[in-house]
Amino acid sequence: MKIFFLGISGTFMGNLAQIAQKKGFEVFGVDQKFYPPMSDELLNAGIKFQEGYEEKNFIDADLYVIGNSISRGNPLLEVIIDKNKTIISAPDWLYQYVLKEKKVISVSGTHGKTTVTSMIAHAFKKDGKNNFGHLIAGVPEEIHSWSLGDDDYFVIESDEYDTAYFDKEPKFFHYRPNILIINNIEFDHADIYSSVDEIESKFIRLLEQMEEGSKAYVNIGAVRKLFKDKVQELETNCEIEFFNAQGETISETNANLASKVLVNFFDKDITKKLLESFKGVKRRFQLLFESEKIILINDFAHHPTAIQGTIELARKEFVDAKIIPIIEFGSNTMRNGQHDISLKTILKNIKSYTINSSEKQQQLFKPFSSVFSENKFDEIINSNEKKIVVLMCGNRDFNGLQIQFLNKLKSLKSK
């Protein structure tokens, strides 16, 4: 069977393509552009792909998996539709060809999905007694981002973002979890949702649809009381447990969340030992550079709560250092100003920089923040502070400035 992935270079789609090949399908794909590490992974897997959504890159296949970044008007999508080909969303393909045969452990919430999913998958891998599958939308330090596994369970992070141009519901409806974690629910994805109430309604419906014998764990320390009250009134077949996972740091909170799942399989002492060996996920408080004066950390934080948590973690880890956040306005919600007031509250007493902020946002943050660019490198490097921790927080590529700043720091250190 031939499968064509339209929008194959993203983490989710690229990993699915590799899973499809592992299951014995013949896989092809197209995206507008390809960059490492996914381009390297696809090449190493022997998957054929082309750049550009032009008609010339159409390949006849039995099934077309359409990524959620693809919209009507995409030239190649229109060719596929005109030829009356069979299309399917990526989450639906994953369920039909992988998850239908598994018991699904699903990690959901606004923040922490990648790290908590990675912790759970790492624990199973480290224990070595269970060969469970997993799919992670990130790059863990010690395990691969995906594994089919051959045991009953499959661990996956479950996104509330939409599924495809023809399915605007959250991805997580397709996964049909047997064990579900709801970590936190805050307003995000302003291009999809109008309010936090609308987002919460999707989680409510997910709980309503869970099957008899399933379990759901809700972190009441990170959801609204209104949501908890609604959940308590639900008529559902699943067993729901409320617990407070909040620790002193993000790392402790994530470990508490992962433990809720893992104690279904290991005793508490073994669970603790397995999690202590977890080395993290790239772009999650990832140390990129360290010298006597400057530390550079890369973090995926792109929501005020996550940004605040990253700043607090840095303060705890580096007590005597000056913390300088560089905030990338990468998500739709950040760019359209939905989080401006929250960010102002977090940053108002901190010297900080922004990337991709609008003129209006620059004026709002002007008393304590300026736009980050190449000419700001020396301003940070030549500061009179004895120790500086630069936190680069964002979910995109910082317009290439992170790489340029890192290269400059390395060149100065080598002199």
Side-chain angles (χ1 to χ4, degrees):
M1 183 178 183
K2 292 184 179 180
I3 301 180
F4 187 99
F5 284 80
L6 187 59
I8 195 174
S9 73
T11 304
F12 183 54
M13 289 284 281
N15 285 337
L16 281 194
Q18 293 173 73
I19 288 173
Q21 187 189 59
K22 183 74 173 179
K23 288 184 70 69
F25 297 109
E26 190 176 359
V27 178
F28 307 89
V30 167
D31 212 308
Q32 190 62 31
K33 291 289 182 181
F34 287 83
Y35 303 97
M38 187 50 69
S39 56
D40 294 335
E41 289 194 22
L42 294 173
L43 284 170
N44 291 337
I47 293 174
K48 298 176 182 177
F49 57 86
Q50 296 290 337
E51 275 193 357
Y53 292 126
E54 293 88 359
E55 183 175 355
K56 67 179 182 179
N57 288 328
F58 173 83
I59 293 175
D60 192 53
D62 300 294
L63 185 63
Y64 294 79
V65 181
I66 310 299
N68 77 334
S69 64
I70 306 300
S71 303
R72 287 301 302 264
N74 179 292
L76 196 46
L77 173 63
E78 296 304 322
V79 172
I80 293 168
I81 292 172
D82 288 345
K83 292 181 179 291
N84 200 29
K85 294 296 184 179
T86 302
I87 63 174
I88 190 171
S89 72
D92 193 16
W93 182 90
L94 179 61
Y95 177 76
Q96 297 297 336
Y97 290 89
V98 179
L99 301 184
K100 186 186 287 188
E101 305 166 356
K102 304 284 187 179
K103 294 179 180 178
V104 177
I105 300 170
S106 176
V107 180
S108 70
T110 309
H111 320 294
K113 293 185 291 294
T114 298
T115 301
V116 176
T117 306
S118 299
M119 292 175 109
I120 295 169
H122 164 85
F124 288 133
K125 183 76 173 177
K126 192 77 174 178
D127 176 68
K129 296 176 182 176
N130 302 294
N131 185 20
F132 294 165
H134 65 263
L135 179 59
I136 300 163
V139 185
E141 292 288 356
E142 288 191 288
I143 60 174
H144 195 52
S145 297
W146 65 270
S147 170
L148 269 176
D150 54 21
D151 283 355
D152 291 342
Y153 284 88
F154 194 99
V155 187
I156 185 169
E157 58 179 285
S158 295
D159 195 349
E160 70 274 20
Y161 204 73
D162 68 355
T163 297
Y165 79 87
F166 51 87
D167 180 357
K168 306 309 288 184
E169 293 283 20
K171 295 183 183 73
F172 57 44
F173 283 130
H174 290 280
Y175 302 154
R176 305 183 190 185
N178 299 89
I179 298 176
L180 171 68
I181 284 184
I182 299 177
N183 176 14
N184 41 48
I185 306 176
E186 296 188 63
F187 183 64
D188 202 3
H189 309 308
D191 53 327
I192 302 294
Y193 299 110
S194 60
S195 67
V196 69
D197 301 87
E198 186 180 2
I199 298 172
E200 287 176 347
S201 71
K202 304 299 182 182
F203 283 89
I204 292 289
R205 187 146 61 89
L206 178 63
L207 289 167
E208 288 175 332
Q209 293 177 2
M210 289 178 68
E211 297 178 354
E212 189 172 352
S214 59
K215 296 181 180 179
Y217 300 100
V218 181
N219 179 14
I220 58 171
V223 297
R224 297 193 302 173
K225 182 179 182 300
L226 180 62
F227 178 75
K228 179 189 174 184
D229 292 343
K230 288 179 179 178
V231 172
Q232 287 179 317
E233 295 171 2
L234 281 182
E235 292 186 9
T236 179
N237 291 318
C238 77
E239 175 188 342
I240 299 174
E241 179 182 331
F242 297 99
F243 73 110
N244 193 333
Q246 300 307 103
E248 291 186 9
T249 66
I250 296 172
S251 298
E252 289 175 357
T253 299
N254 289 337
N256 292 340
L257 289 161
S259 295
K260 266 299 171 185
V261 169
L262 293 172
V263 294
N264 287 281
F265 303 90
F266 312 108
D267 66 37
K268 289 184 178 180
D269 289 339
I270 292 176
T271 293
K272 183 180 179 181
K273 186 176 180 180
L274 290 170
L275 290 178
E276 283 174 350
S277 65
F278 179 69
K279 293 186 177 179
V281 179
K282 291 181 180 179
R283 294 208 68 184
R284 273 67 178 178
F285 210 77
Q286 180 186 9
L287 179 66
L288 297 182
F289 175 86
E290 183 172 11
S291 67
E292 187 176 336
K293 179 178 180 178
I294 296 179
I295 293 171
L296 179 63
I297 289 174
N298 182 16
D299 198 275
F300 198 67
H302 56 282
H303 183 284
T305 301
I307 292 167
Q308 184 172 20
T310 301
I311 292 171
E312 289 173 355
L313 178 58
R315 284 172 173 160
K316 184 171 183 178
E317 293 281 324
F318 310 101
V319 177
D320 298 323
K322 172 77 171 179
I323 308 298
I324 301 180
I326 299 175
I327 310 300
E328 178 189 41
F329 287 68
S331 70
N332 290 304
T333 318
M334 288 278 280
R335 286 198 303 271
N336 71 15
Q338 295 281 342
H339 293 318
D340 284 356
I341 302 304
S342 296
L343 281 173
K344 184 178 179 181
T345 301
I346 293 167
L347 300 175
K348 65 181 179 181
N349 295 318
I350 308 172
K351 170 64 178 175
S352 61
Y353 298 90
T354 62
I355 296 173
N356 290 335
S357 52
S358 68
E359 289 186 14
K360 181 180 178 181
Q361 289 166 329
Q362 290 166 28
Q363 287 300 313
L364 180 66
F365 302 141
K366 191 173 182 179
F368 47 83
S369 183
S370 58
V371 176
F372 189 62
S373 60
E374 285 184 66
N375 61 14
K376 300 293 185 181
F377 293 177
D378 288 339
E379 183 175 292
I380 295 174
I381 292 168
N382 297 326
S383 166
N384 292 327
E385 301 290 340
K386 291 183 178 180
K387 193 75 173 181
I388 298 169
V389 177
V390 180
L391 299 176
M392 298 197 71
C393 300
N395 63 340
R396 295 187 184 274
D397 65 354
F398 303 101
N399 293 344
L401 289 167
Q402 184 182 87
I403 294 173
Q404 294 174 45
F405 187 46
L406 177 59
N407 288 340
K408 176 144 191 175
L409 291 173
K410 287 179 176 177
S411 69
L412 291 172
K413 188 176 182 180
S414 64
K415 289 181 180 179

